Amino acid sequence: MNFATTDLCDDNANLLEDGRLAVLPPVFRHFGKQVRFSGRVTTLKVHEDNALVRSVLETQGGGNVLVIDGGGSLRRALVGGQLGLLAQDNGWAGIIVDGCIRDTDEINSCEIGVRALGAHPQKSSKKGAGERNVRVHIQGVPVQPGDWIYADADGILVAQQMLVS
């Protein structure tokens, strides 16, 4: 996985122009051991409830990135240490949370990349409400199941196709 988001932007200016490549706003904090990660997108849309997050991370990730539309809520954590370990053990490349995480020390010891708006100590509810594999909006940027995520220290890209730098 040898890419730089800056190079991907430079090399794919036409995709940026026509909307097939987008940059998420620079509001996400980095967690986990992997600063750079990429993979195909699996989406979830949930609100302060992480039961679906667990059920997805219990499946084999195959190098995919779980993108969680948590509505930008800063009131509860959607991913904690146990889910970070589950993601690592099941082969997920990373998790992007439009919301919060918790157990940051545990997540920072996992061999995955995690981006979230921040950390919050309160756990989420577990009712199972939400939608899986639907188009979501992360900080105003549309993300579809099957899109590609490219994340590094400079930012997060959402591409409608696999990119080569």
Side-chain angles (χ1 to χ4, degrees):
M1 202 178 12
N2 193 15
F3 68 86
T5 56
T6 52
D7 293 339
L8 291 174
C9 284
D10 292 351
D11 295 346
N12 295 283
N14 60 323
L15 299 179
L16 283 166
E17 284 295 317
D18 69 18
R20 290 180 289 162
L21 176 62
V23 180
L24 291 184
V27 295
F28 292 90
R29 290 178 49 198
H30 164 261
F31 303 93
K33 284 188 176 180
Q34 299 301 319
V35 174
R36 177 179 289 120
F37 62 94
S38 66
R40 285 201 86 140
V41 169
T42 299
T43 63
L44 279 179
K45 184 174 182 140
V46 298
H47 183 70
E48 298 178 3
D49 183 325
N50 78 346
L52 279 180
V53 176
R54 174 175 285 283
S55 77
V56 168
L57 293 176
E58 286 174 342
T59 66
Q60 288 302 308
N64 286 354
V65 175
L66 179 59
V67 176
I68 304 168
D69 178 353
S73 173
L74 302 176
R75 299 185 320 175
R76 292 180 179 223
L78 292 173
V79 175
Q82 290 178 359
L83 296 185
L85 193 56
L86 201 55
Q88 169 193 280
D89 293 348
N90 287 329
W92 291 85
I95 305 169
I96 296 174
V97 184
D98 192 7
C100 292
I101 66 164
R102 66 188 220 154
D103 302 322
T104 58
D105 287 342
E106 292 174 40
I107 289 175
N108 286 337
S109 70
C110 291
E111 289 291 340
I112 59 169
V114 176
R115 298 293 192 281
L117 297 178
H120 196 290
Q122 185 176 351
K123 67 182 177 180
S124 68
S125 64
K126 308 206 182 306
K127 297 175 185 162
E131 297 175 275
R132 184 178 184 166
N133 287 325
V134 295
R135 179 181 171 149
V136 296
H137 284 83
I138 304 300
Q139 295 292 307
V141 176
V143 182
Q144 305 240 68
D147 283 350
W148 287 82
I149 291 288
Y150 296 88
D152 67 9
D154 288 319
I156 305 167
L157 305 180
V158 180
Q160 292 180 7
Q161 63 196 56
M162 180 187 258
L163 302 177
V164 232
S165 178

